[in-house]
Amino acid sequence: MRDSDEFTRWTTEFEAKARARARTGDPDWSAGATLHPALVRSIQRFQVGESGDGAHLIAKADAAGDPVYAAAVRLFVAEEANHARLLLNLLHAAGEQPISRHWTDAVFVVLRRGLGLRLELMVLSIAEVIAIPYYSALRDGACDPLATRTAALILADEQRHIPFHAQRLRLAFAATPPGLRPLVRAVWRGILHVAIAVVLVDHGRALRRLGCTRREFARTARALFGPICATALPRPDREQPSANPRSAGEAIG
């Protein structure tokens, strides 16, 4: 399959998902939600992270010169904006308000905007790897029907985002010399470990409340990252990655 065909498939899939959301509609926010204070603080921070307008990513996708990919990126950004809206409505249903900023999001934004499209996608893929075990834990451990439904809706999207980014990163790294790839893998994995540590400190109380141990969260994030790295930076002795990022995300989710 040609790369342009692959991103046409992604555009079609994003559009189909948008139509399905329109048909299904939102959860019943009027039912209200009951959230532990630790969950409220955690959701507030994730809501900030989902709230970016995606302008920098869209501009970089446009500059890459592939209009099909750029169209898919716009649909991806729209899904992220919908996540922010869902989390905002969940907070309101619980009688809580969002926060306008948080230091972890500020650091994340500076890091991913610092260089080109490739670095931004590397950091975004780590964000997706973090999001999947988080929303899985929220879905399974919140003990609130509205929070469970909201988390399940977001999780279904995040599982698709991983292979989407991995596909583009494979193209971005196609010309990277084999001798340089181990260094890129090591740096990328290092960023992942820092991100996991930050989440465990910043959201540790919420994760405990949801019944997710730190070890379990870290193990799941690392398991999701492996196929992304294998897809984007295949080793010289294998043309195909050892696992499909989509399958890994769906199995864990």
Side-chain angles (χ1 to χ4, degrees):
M1 179 181 291
R2 294 176 304 172
D3 294 313
S4 59
D5 293 336
E6 179 71 7
F7 289 116
T8 297
R9 181 182 68 82
W10 278 114
T11 301
T12 300
E13 187 165 336
F14 280 129
E15 289 173 341
K17 179 65 174 179
R19 290 192 295 270
R21 283 196 302 270
R23 289 194 302 268
T24 303
D26 275 6
D28 181 9
W29 306 116
S30 66
T34 302
L35 301 174
H36 186 274
L39 294 185
V40 170
R41 288 189 291 271
S42 180
I43 291 169
Q44 286 171 330
R45 294 166 188 176
F46 264 82
Q47 197 275 335
V48 169
E50 301 273 16
S51 296
D53 61 9
H56 286 78
L57 177 60
I58 289 172
K60 292 172 186 177
D62 287 342
D66 182 346
V68 178
Y69 174 67
V73 165
R74 282 172 167 79
L75 294 168
F76 158 75
V77 169
E79 284 196 347
E80 293 293 317
N82 188 56
H83 298 172
R85 184 187 66 84
L86 290 171
L87 293 176
L88 177 63
N89 286 340
L90 176 60
L91 288 169
H92 286 165
E96 303 290 346
Q97 295 299 317
I99 57 177
S100 59
R101 61 180 62 87
H102 190 259
W103 72 268
T104 54
D105 179 63
V107 171
F108 171 78
V109 168
V110 169
L111 180 60
R112 68 185 178 88
R113 290 180 180 175
L115 293 176
L117 177 63
R118 182 164 58 182
L119 178 61
E120 179 147 8
L121 293 182
M122 289 171 71
V123 177
L124 272 175
S125 67
I126 289 175
E128 306 290 1
V129 159
I130 294 297
I132 286 181
Y134 177 80
Y135 288 120
S136 294
L138 185 62
R139 178 197 61 188
D140 298 338
C143 299
D144 177 87
L146 199 56
T148 296
R149 177 60 178 155
T150 301
L153 290 171
I154 296 174
L155 181 62
D157 290 341
E158 301 289 15
Q159 289 169 338
R160 292 197 326 279
H161 294 172
I162 283 183
F164 173 61
H165 294 320
Q167 168 68 14
R168 181 63 195 188
L169 283 167
R170 184 186 67 79
L171 296 177
F173 283 116
T176 302
L180 187 58
R181 293 187 175 211
L183 176 60
V184 177
R185 292 188 198 100
V187 171
W188 199 3
R189 192 173 295 276
I191 297 173
L192 169 70
H193 290 161
V194 171
I196 290 172
V198 169
V199 171
L200 293 181
V201 170
D202 208 33
H203 299 269
R205 290 184 61 193
L207 291 173
R208 286 194 298 273
R209 185 77 188 180
L210 295 170
C212 179
T213 67
R214 295 177 182 232
R215 184 185 299 274
E216 178 185 0
F217 184 93
R219 182 175 61 247
T220 301
R222 288 194 296 266
L224 286 164
F225 178 77
I228 299 174
C229 198
T231 298
L233 290 160
R235 299 181 186 277
D237 58 343
R238 61 185 70 169
E239 294 184 358
Q240 298 296 328
S242 59
N244 186 310
R246 178 188 295 271
S247 298
E250 290 174 350
I252 292 172

